[in-house]
């Protein structure tokens, strides 16, 4: 009986892991681990989003990007970058960050910059071609 | 033909039994319990729910409209946790993680740590993006509640010994959980390589892909952190980035062999591949993952290490049978239960 239960567990564990792995379905924690599997074409152009904080002396800090930043970014990027309900939450996000932060931030911003990676054999580092502040909450 | 298939089925059954149920000593499983429990504790400690900026503490502040539950959180229809729920689950899981690590009430602690740990590890994935850094830890947690993980190197075993009970014998119960825990790790690397082959194909290795990825990781995403010197020659030499890309894919795909090779130098070579991969991720891609490095010793033969340790302490005459798996010949069809009885007699 004990052996049968162990066998059933082994088969179930391997079965789910193999199914998730080969089918590409996420059954957390079982996964196909697809991180960085897509090919980055050359030349590479793209956009990157940051959630940044602004201190009282005007310094811009990126330490606020995680972890709340991920959710805010994804909502911004996926939802046409303008859902007022969600973006309105940026102010409460600032309050959340300031609950324990000393000195407090005076503002947080969603920033988007467009970058370009030069094709080989160029040795230039990636260039920021455009930097935009998409939203700011004070 | 039927006799051939009957013979084949018998051989498969025997191989399966030998692979999963060869009686072994309890130390390897105990080491896995300590590694997983301590890593769960370390991981959760960084997610202090009273800190509103921590990985878990931030969750009650996230707007509910961003809640996109995954896996069992979706199947069970769970809502985003309140601050009270989160704090309660976190506290109980932390206590369970400590109890599991020291081996006190091991079975109950493992069940609680698995349930709470899986819930807390899954929560941050429920906001639109799955992070794959802690899947291995969660998979390993799933195995331990079903295992006799407190049979050695635990307070439970010390208490049993103080009551005059005999130390545990070699048993198949100590083998298969270790294998499943190791498979959790091996699957992660194998499927990471498999995804690269099936999604990117040959272009993943033979195009400028890795060079562009390194440029992106080092000079776009984490531009404010100084770049490791080793990155520059790679992004400037096509043959070098192609070689590194080929090494990554081959290393990831081949690591699963550690589940089947027997010789110590083969296992050591594959362990070095995995360690190199984890260090490479940190140095080249700016993706440090101490959790993986912490869990890698589940592949070290802790039964052998315990035997060596004991022979150093008590002299070389100490019984070798306590930690070595029995040989192929001595495995009986009942998976060694007979040999256990014989040994007890």
């Amino acid at each position: 009986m004990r052996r049968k239960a162990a066998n059933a567990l082994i088969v179930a564990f391997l079965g789910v892991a193999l199914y998730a792995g080969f089918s590409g379905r996420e059954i957390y924690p079982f996964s196909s681990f697809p991180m960085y599997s897509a090919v980055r074409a050359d030349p590479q152009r793209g956009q990157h989003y940051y959630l940044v904080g602004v201190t009282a002396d005007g310094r811009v800090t990126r330490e606020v990007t995680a972890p709340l930043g991920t959710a805010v970014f994804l909502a911004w990027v996926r939802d046409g970058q303008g859902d007022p309900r969600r973006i309105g939450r940026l102010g409460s996000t600032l309050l959340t960050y300031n609950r324990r932060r000393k000195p407090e931030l005076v503002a947080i911003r969603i920033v988007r910059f467009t970058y370009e990676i030069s094709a080989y054999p160029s040795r230039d580092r990636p260039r920021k071609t455009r930097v935009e502040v998409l939203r700011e909450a004070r | 033909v039927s006799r051939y298939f009957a013979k084949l089925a018998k051989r498969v059954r025997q191989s399966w039994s030998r692979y999963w149920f060869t009686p072994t000593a309890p130390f390897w499983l105990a080491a896995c319990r300590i590694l997983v429990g301590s890593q769960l504790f370390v991981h959760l400690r960084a997610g202090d729910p009273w800190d509103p900026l921590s990985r878990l503490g931030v969750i009650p502040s996230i707007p509910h409209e961003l809640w996109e539950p995954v896996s069992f959180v979706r199947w069970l229809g769970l809502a985003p946790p309140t601050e009270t729920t989160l704090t309660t689950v976190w506290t109980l899981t932390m206590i369970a993680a400590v109890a599991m690590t020291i081996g006190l009430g091991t079975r109950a602690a493992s069940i609680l740590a698995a349930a709470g740990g899986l819930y807390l590890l899954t929560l941050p994935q429920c906001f639109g993006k799955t992070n794959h850094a802690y899947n291995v830890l969660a998979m390993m947690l799933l195995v331990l509640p079903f295992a006799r993980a407190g049979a050695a190197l635990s307070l439970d075993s010390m208490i049993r010994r103080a009551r005059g009970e005999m130390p545990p014998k070699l048993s198949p119960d100590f083998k298969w959980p270790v294998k499943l825990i190791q498979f959790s790790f091996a699957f992660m690397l194998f499927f990471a390589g498999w995804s690269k082959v099936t999604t990117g194909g040959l272009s993943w290795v033979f195009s400028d892909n890795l060079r562009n990825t390194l440029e992106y990781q080092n000079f776009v995403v984490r531009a404010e952190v100084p770049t490791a010197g080793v990155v520059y020659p790679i992004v400037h030499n096509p043959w070098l980035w192609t070689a590194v890309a080929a090494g990554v894919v081959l290393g990831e795909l081949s690591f699963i062999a550690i589940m089947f090779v027997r010789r110590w130098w083969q296992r050591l070579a594959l362990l070095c591949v995995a360690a190199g991969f984890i260090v490479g991720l940190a140095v080249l891609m700016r993706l440090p993952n101490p959790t993986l490095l912490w869990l890698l010793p589940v592949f070290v033969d802790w039964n052998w290490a315990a035997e060596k340790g004991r022979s150093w302490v008590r002299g070389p005459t100490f019984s070798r049978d306590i930690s070595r798996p029995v040989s192929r010949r001595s495995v009986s069809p009942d998976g060694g239960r007979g040999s256990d009885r014989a040994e007890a007699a």
Side-chain angles (χ1 to χ4, degrees):
Chain A
M1 185 62 195
R2 200 182 173 100
R3 176 68 66 91
K4 277 184 183 168
N7 271 319
L9 185 72
I10 293 166
V11 170
F13 190 93
L14 296 183
V16 177
L18 291 171
Y19 172 71
F22 286 121
S23 70
R25 288 194 60 177
E26 283 287 338
I27 311 172
Y28 195 89
F30 300 99
S31 168
S32 61
F33 300 96
M35 51 280 188
Y36 298 95
S37 60
V39 173
R40 283 187 180 276
D42 193 17
Q44 174 77 39
R45 289 190 188 84
Q47 292 176 332
H48 198 79
Y49 294 82
Y50 284 118
L51 188 65
V52 299
V54 184
T55 54
D57 57 1
R59 201 165 46 86
V60 173
T61 169
R62 270 183 48 189
E63 70 183 83
V64 296
T65 50
L68 186 51
T70 307
V72 175
F73 287 145
L74 288 171
W76 177 271
V77 173
R78 267 189 318 227
D79 300 342
Q81 306 172 3
D83 183 338
R85 258 183 327 143
R86 298 190 181 191
I87 301 309
R89 297 291 188 141
L90 207 54
S92 62
T93 303
L94 175 63
L95 292 178
T96 303
Y97 277 117
N98 275 339
R99 268 164 71 184
R100 284 226 177 151
R101 203 182 185 288
K102 293 286 179 273
E104 291 189 345
L105 299 172
V106 292
I108 55 173
R109 294 173 183 162
I110 294 181
V111 176
R112 172 174 65 195
F113 70 76
T114 311
Y115 67 87
E116 186 178 301
I117 298 174
S118 322
Y120 181 80
S122 166
R123 291 198 166 205
D124 296 339
R125 294 277 77 86
R127 289 186 305 122
K128 285 180 193 174
T129 55
R130 199 169 162 202
V131 181
E132 303 156 89
V133 176
L134 298 178
R135 196 86 185 181
E136 183 179 89
R138 286 191 169 270
Chain B
V1 173
S2 66
R3 210 186 312 166
Y4 170 78
F5 278 108
K7 208 171 168 183
L8 186 69
K10 189 181 173 191
R11 284 188 66 179
V12 169
R13 260 203 313 275
Q14 281 176 343
S15 299
W16 176 274
S17 182
R18 194 185 313 127
Y19 186 79
W20 293 101
F21 298 107
T22 302
T24 51
F27 303 108
W28 203 335
L29 179 57
C32 290
R33 184 201 82 229
I34 293 168
L35 288 165
V36 174
S38 53
Q39 179 52 219
L40 179 66
F41 178 81
V42 170
H43 176 78
L44 291 183
R45 199 159 172 268
D48 176 4
W50 286 281
D51 177 359
L53 297 189
S54 76
R55 190 163 37 220
L56 291 172
V58 75
I59 286 174
S61 316
I62 299 180
H64 284 199
E65 52 265 42
L66 300 181
W67 177 250
E68 288 178 16
V70 297
S71 187
F72 70 93
V73 180
R74 188 180 68 214
W75 304 330
L76 297 175
L78 300 180
T82 61
E83 236 169 297
T84 317
T85 312
L86 194 68
T87 310
T88 310
V89 174
W90 183 85
T91 308
L92 290 175
T93 311
M94 286 290 275
I95 294 168
V98 173
M100 191 170 103
T101 307
I102 61 176
L104 183 63
T106 312
R107 182 77 72 163
S110 301
I111 294 170
L112 191 56
L118 194 61
Y119 177 67
L120 296 174
L121 286 166
T122 308
L123 277 182
Q125 325 307 329
C126 295
F127 294 93
K129 187 176 188 302
T130 305
N131 184 318
H132 295 97
Y134 308 108
N135 292 49
V136 175
L137 177 62
M139 286 162 81
M140 290 178 177
L141 278 171
L142 284 176
V143 178
L144 286 168
F146 301 97
R148 285 175 58 200
L153 307 179
S154 65
L155 288 181
D156 284 345
S157 66
M158 289 169 72
I159 293 167
R160 277 196 293 268
R161 191 78 66 89
R163 283 181 186 157
E165 290 179 29
M166 291 290 286
K169 305 274 181 243
L170 304 183
S171 167
D173 293 347
F174 302 133
K175 178 80 180 284
W176 63 264
V178 173
K179 287 284 182 194
L180 278 186
I181 284 172
Q182 292 175 339
F183 261 115
S184 306
F185 201 111
F187 275 148
M188 182 208 63
L189 284 186
F190 174 75
F191 284 122
W194 180 258
S195 293
K196 290 179 180 71
V197 171
T198 52
T199 309
L202 287 177
S203 301
W204 203 93
V205 174
F206 294 106
S207 69
D208 291 353
N209 168 55
L210 188 67
R211 179 250 187 193
N212 290 340
T213 303
L214 290 178
E215 291 267 3
Y216 177 77
Q217 286 294 120
N218 285 278
F219 306 115
V220 177
V221 180
R222 290 171 177 80
E224 73 283 2
V225 185
T227 302
V230 69
V231 171
Y232 294 99
I234 296 175
V235 298
H236 292 152
N237 292 293
W239 62 269
L240 201 50
W241 78 61
T242 306
V244 172
V248 167
V249 174
L250 288 176
E252 287 180 338
L253 288 175
S254 64
F255 184 72
I256 193 93
I258 202 167
M259 299 307 302
F260 306 104
V261 297
R262 286 164 175 266
R263 297 184 195 285
W264 69 268
W265 57 268
Q266 294 169 329
R267 296 178 63 82
L268 182 63
L270 288 164
L271 271 179
C272 290
V273 166
F277 175 80
I278 297 166
V279 172
L281 269 181
V283 174
L284 299 179
M285 298 280 284
R286 314 285 190 87
L287 296 170
N289 192 332
T291 300
L292 290 183
L293 217 47
W294 188 297
L295 294 175
L296 197 56
V298 298
F299 291 100
V300 172
D301 186 345
W302 292 99
N303 287 337
W304 174 84
E307 182 189 11
K308 286 289 170 199
R310 283 189 164 194
S311 64
W312 282 335
V313 172
R314 300 186 184 183
T317 54
F318 188 76
S319 167
R320 65 184 174 81
D321 285 334
I322 190 69
S323 64
R324 288 182 65 177
V326 292
S327 68
R328 274 190 195 197
R329 279 184 197 165
S330 62
V331 180
S332 58
D334 66 351
R337 277 168 287 180
S339 62
D340 272 1
R341 280 197 292 275
E343 198 175 307

